[in-house]
Amino acid sequence: MSEENIYTFENPEYRKTYWHTCSHVMAQAVKRLWPEVQLAIGPAIDEGWYYDFDAPFAFTPEHLTQIEGEMKKICKERIHLERSEKPRAEAIAYMQEHNEPYKVELIEDLPEDAVISFYTQGEFTDLCAGPHLDSTGRIKGNAIKLTQSCGAYWRGDSNRKMLQRIYGIAFPKKDELDEYLRKQEEARKRDHNKLGRELDYFTTVESIGQGLPIMLPNGARAIQLLQRWIEDEEQKRGYILTKTPLMAKSDLYKISGHWDHYLDGMFVLGDPYDETKECFALRPMTCPFQYQVYLNKARSYRDLPMRLGETSTLFRNEDSGEMHGLIRVRQFTISEGHIVLRPDQLEEEFKNCLDLANYCMETLGLKEDCSFRFSQWDPAKAGIKYEGTAEQWDLAQQTMKTILDDLGVNYEVGVDEAAFYGPKLDIQIKNVFGKEDTLITIQIDMLLAEKFGMEYTDSDGQKKTPYIIHRTSMGCYERTLALLIEKYAGALPLWLMGTQVKVMPITDRAHEYAKGLVQKLQDAGIRAEGDYRSEKLGYKIREAQMQKTPYMLVVGDRDMENGTVSVRTRKGDDLGAMTPDEFLAKCLMEIATKNKEL
């Protein structure tokens, strides 16, 4: 990066520092307005910052406006920021004196040799590692916006106190903030959490629980179509279909290592610490179950690669604060698969997995929105977070690097983001609000086969341990549906729509003709419905467009005489008159090619 861009938003480090300083300005403003409010934490995040507060009242939009006004004053005061350090006892005493119990807890939890640093701006001092801007005057007060307040458990623990989190965003120029807010408004219109509910894709019910969505007819149909497509495509590519249990005894997870590394993220039935009784857990992954298919009989090198695929329902005990529509849930369905293979087959099979993932993303229209991350281990956490030897990890990571480089994959490296048993390629995607999640993973595993006693007889007659690739082809169905709703603003491609065609007779005389058209389309596999209500035609067309119905067939006396249909699209285009056979052929071609545009 050029020197002149170091102190601009083009530099992500400067951007983070700018937003972190904004979080301190916001906290200072809150303390000026309401000294009784206690401070928790206030980091910079991917877009802006947040700060958690313990206040004796609920922050309202009016409060946020007050805070913004005070922040502008602090920026105009051009207050210098100074860094200082305090010994542990003095730091604790300082925060106790200022009635900041959350800061006291943070200090007490720091390692004994930690440097305890503070940043002071005027009358306000906060515990912080930094870095920060040198002055509040660097921040443009008229380009600050506090976007929302919501609840957040202290330290993400649902057993701790619920605090209030205020989010903010800021830019060096007012027009940049205005453009950001315009994009956010557009994002809210596309937000699957809003649009998906309005269009009958899904709902949630308080008595069922957070992160457990109910798929409504349109959502259920879309997921069914995606699942059929993926299973058929995997079959073409040599996958063997499996169906395994949704739960298992703790014994299975202890063999795989998930019991040690993932227990907090599992739904456990029984006491996990009582060795005298059976304990079960809902599965958070499919791999140890699918391995039993391989272990069902003795295997030869000729049996490999063995490609095992399954549409798997999984359960993960996500924190309540992490739940978001269909993107992050506690029960979800995934296009999971495991390839058991010989070492010499690793590169070709990895390449095939990536080819399948690319095919899925391109077909769905998501490829252009994706990025790739090579997730590696952190050697400092060997034996704690990660299993296996340094030699095994070096071999696995070097093998994956060679494969990715040979394939020309443009990736970023994510240290300490690997699975506990091996490195992985994460295909990342952002939702409309810029929050990044993993869509698809492909992982190299050189450890678990040995744990489960998986062997094959090689061509030399010797017993050998295979490698395993863990992979998804399309990832989580619910998350993918959410991304598709946002990508297409609810107007999914024709092949995925619950209702593909609505037939609208203009007069009562055309009802029977319309019913015949509906039947003809349904017989050909088109999901068609008739709208026979005595409403005005314009109203029915607008309603169908609001429901994102791809095609509307308007039929009247002339169509009955000529044996035609008048075709309209959800975009408002009038395609004119066609014969029913012509229209049917058009639909079937779009469905067969999975066309993304009408």
Side-chain angles (χ1 to χ4, degrees), residues 38 244 271-272 325 412:
Q38 294 173 330
T244 55
D271 185 348
E412 294 182 353

Side-chain angles (χ1 to χ4, degrees), residues 352-399:
N352 291 341
C353 291
L354 185 54
D355 180 72
L356 174 57
N358 280 325
Y359 165 73
C360 292
M361 291 186 292
E362 287 168 357
T363 301
L364 295 172
L366 299 175
K367 177 70 181 293
E368 63 188 23
D369 304 317
C370 290
S371 61
F372 296 86
R373 185 163 64 222
F374 179 9
S375 297
Q376 304 178 359
W377 80 322
D378 181 354
K381 297 180 180 178
I384 303 171
K385 182 176 178 180
Y386 301 103
E387 296 191 2
T389 65
E391 291 76 17
Q392 288 172 313
W393 275 92
D394 289 343
L395 175 60
Q397 292 189 170
Q398 185 56 50
T399 301

Side-chain angles (χ1 to χ4, degrees), residues 234 237-240 287 290-291 294 303-309 336-343 345-354 356 441-446 449 454 466-473:
E234 289 183 343
R237 295 176 184 239
Y239 281 81
I240 302 168
C287 46
Q290 280 199 322
Y291 296 165
Y294 181 89
D303 298 321
L304 305 182
M306 178 179 285
R307 305 182 188 102
L308 304 171
E336 194 155 18
H338 297 88
I339 304 172
V340 188
L341 45 84
R342 304 190 308 266
Q345 297 170 324
L346 182 57
E347 183 165 358
E348 183 65 22
E349 289 302 313
F350 192 98
K351 178 180 178 181
N352 291 341
C353 291
L354 185 54
L356 174 57
T441 64
I442 307 172
Q443 308 170 7
I444 293 178
D445 173 10
M446 299 182 179
M454 298 166 70
Y467 289 170
I468 299 172
I469 294 177
H470 304 237
R471 47 100 282 181
T472 54
S473 50

Side-chain angles (χ1 to χ4, degrees), residues 56-326:
F57 56 87
F59 287 113
T60 65
E62 290 72 25
H63 289 123
L64 300 193
T65 300
Q66 282 183 268
I67 298 168
E68 283 180 15
E70 193 64 34
M71 290 178 72
K72 290 177 183 178
K73 292 179 186 178
I74 293 170
C75 294
K76 287 182 180 179
E77 291 171 18
R78 299 179 179 276
I79 306 171
H80 182 67
L81 279 84
E82 295 184 358
R83 183 181 184 279
S84 61
E85 297 177 8
K86 297 181 187 292
R88 179 181 297 271
E90 185 179 334
I92 291 173
Y94 179 86
M95 285 303 177
Q96 288 175 333
E97 179 185 343
H98 287 79
N99 191 29
E100 298 290 0
Y102 300 101
K103 300 294 184 180
V104 171
E105 182 179 326
L106 291 172
I107 296 169
E108 290 175 340
D109 287 350
L110 289 172
E112 287 297 326
D113 59 350
V115 174
I116 303 175
S117 60
F118 295 79
Y119 279 82
T120 299
Q121 54 200 56
E123 81 286 357
F124 177 77
T125 298
D126 201 355
L127 172 73
C128 187
H132 284 282
L133 303 179
D134 60 349
S135 167
T136 63
R138 300 281 186 190
I139 300 169
K140 305 303 178 186
N142 67 344
I144 294 172
K145 181 65 178 177
L146 303 186
T147 54
Q148 66 166 318
S149 63
C150 60
Y153 290 112
W154 170 231
R155 305 187 91 164
D157 186 346
S158 59
N159 295 315
R160 306 293 298 275
K161 186 169 185 179
M162 175 71 80
L163 306 179
Q164 294 184 76
R165 176 171 295 177
I166 298 178
Y167 286 92
I169 189 73
F171 291 90
K173 297 179 181 177
K174 177 68 163 56
D175 59 352
E176 292 175 338
L177 173 64
D178 291 341
E179 176 62 13
Y180 171 84
L181 294 176
R182 185 194 67 76
K183 289 181 178 178
Q184 288 298 103
E185 181 58 32
E186 177 62 26
R188 278 189 285 274
K189 293 177 183 177
R190 289 175 171 262
D191 180 10
H192 85 278
N193 213 4
K194 173 179 179 292
L195 201 53
R197 297 171 192 272
E198 293 174 352
L199 296 175
D200 285 345
Y201 281 102
F202 77 101
T203 188
T204 50
V205 179
E206 181 64 29
S207 59
I208 290 176
Q210 213 176 3
L212 299 169
I214 302 293
M215 303 311 300
L216 298 174
N218 288 332
R221 179 67 70 187
I223 287 180
Q224 179 194 55
L225 293 163
L226 288 169
Q227 180 179 329
R228 287 174 174 174
W229 168 54
I230 291 297
E231 289 181 350
D232 289 347
E233 183 61 32
E234 289 183 343
Q235 182 174 317
K236 293 177 189 175
R237 295 176 184 239
Y239 281 81
I240 302 168
L241 184 65
T242 68
K243 186 172 178 61
T244 55
L246 299 181
M247 68 176 75
K249 294 195 297 184
S250 60
D251 306 47
L252 184 73
Y253 305 114
K254 289 176 181 177
I255 296 171
S256 67
H258 289 94
W259 201 252
D260 294 329
H261 293 277
Y262 208 77
L263 183 59
D264 289 344
M266 297 168 70
F267 288 102
V268 178
L269 299 102
D271 185 348
Y273 306 107
D274 186 348
E275 298 290 342
T276 66
K277 296 179 181 178
E278 278 191 336
C279 181
F280 288 78
L282 298 176
R283 64 181 184 185
M285 79 303 295
T286 315
C287 46
F289 295 84
Q290 280 199 322
Y291 296 165
Q292 309 310 310
V293 176
Y294 181 89
L295 290 165
N296 187 51
K297 61 177 67 175
R299 304 294 177 182
S300 159
Y301 71 97
R302 295 187 182 90
D303 298 321
L304 305 182
M306 178 179 285
R307 305 182 188 102
L308 304 171
E310 181 164 340
T311 302
S312 302
T313 299
L314 304 179
F315 306 85
R316 294 185 183 173
N317 191 10
E318 301 277 7
D319 290 336
S320 59
E322 294 294 317
M323 300 296 103
H324 177 59
L326 297 178

